[in-house]
Amino acid sequence: MTGGFDKEALLAGVGIVVYYDKGGESFRIRKNEVMEEIDNNNEAEYAALHIALKLLEEIGVRNSPCTIHGDSQVVIKQLQGGMAMFGRGLEPVARSYRNPDQKARVENQPDRTE
């Protein structure tokens, strides 16, 4: 997952790729969105996480372990509890990630071009 914010255009973009196996077959889902009402890059990263979690729920990943890779060290460290969170819009998404029913693990991974 990744997110970015354009200060001049006041627009954000998010991208998510989900790889999974089901019934002996491998699948990939890509999702990209342009978003308004985002104030900075960190909010865009959290928006990408929120969309990724909703997508996982839509495809039925509820009680299965998964790993979420992101390229924002700040967001990953905040979600892992190693850094304070600032920003009024971020805490609800972080709370949804920290839900004990979620079996997702987040890791930092630099952007990759596919």
Side-chain angles (χ1 to χ4, degrees):
M1 64 163 211
T2 189
F5 179 70
D6 184 333
K7 291 178 188 177
E8 292 179 18
L10 298 176
L11 292 173
V14 298
I16 295 118
V17 181
V18 175
Y19 296 93
Y20 66 101
D21 296 323
K22 186 174 185 179
E25 292 186 61
S26 296
F27 297 91
R28 180 180 80 159
I29 300 172
R30 292 181 66 165
K31 189 168 189 170
N32 298 299
E33 289 188 29
V34 174
M35 306 181 78
E36 297 178 351
E37 299 183 27
I38 300 284
D39 293 329
N40 58 56
N41 194 60
N42 285 346
E43 280 190 28
E45 295 285 353
Y46 273 102
L49 173 63
H50 182 72
I51 292 167
L53 291 174
K54 288 178 78 170
L55 181 58
L56 289 171
E57 189 174 310
E58 287 172 16
I59 64 173
V61 179
R62 288 189 180 87
N63 295 310
S64 301
C66 65
T67 301
I68 298 172
H69 295 278
D71 64 345
S72 171
Q73 290 185 34
V74 170
V75 171
I76 300 299
K77 287 180 181 179
Q78 287 173 338
L79 291 171
Q80 293 172 336
M83 183 180 278
M85 182 174 299
F86 302 99
R88 54 192 160 91
L90 306 179
E91 189 58 36
V93 176
R95 263 197 314 273
S96 73
Y97 167 76
R98 291 183 188 135
N99 180 341
D101 293 337
Q102 289 286 352
K103 295 184 179 186
R105 183 180 78 215
V106 292
E107 295 179 351
N108 185 51
Q109 182 172 8
D111 265 342
R112 295 184 298 183
T113 304
E114 293 189 58

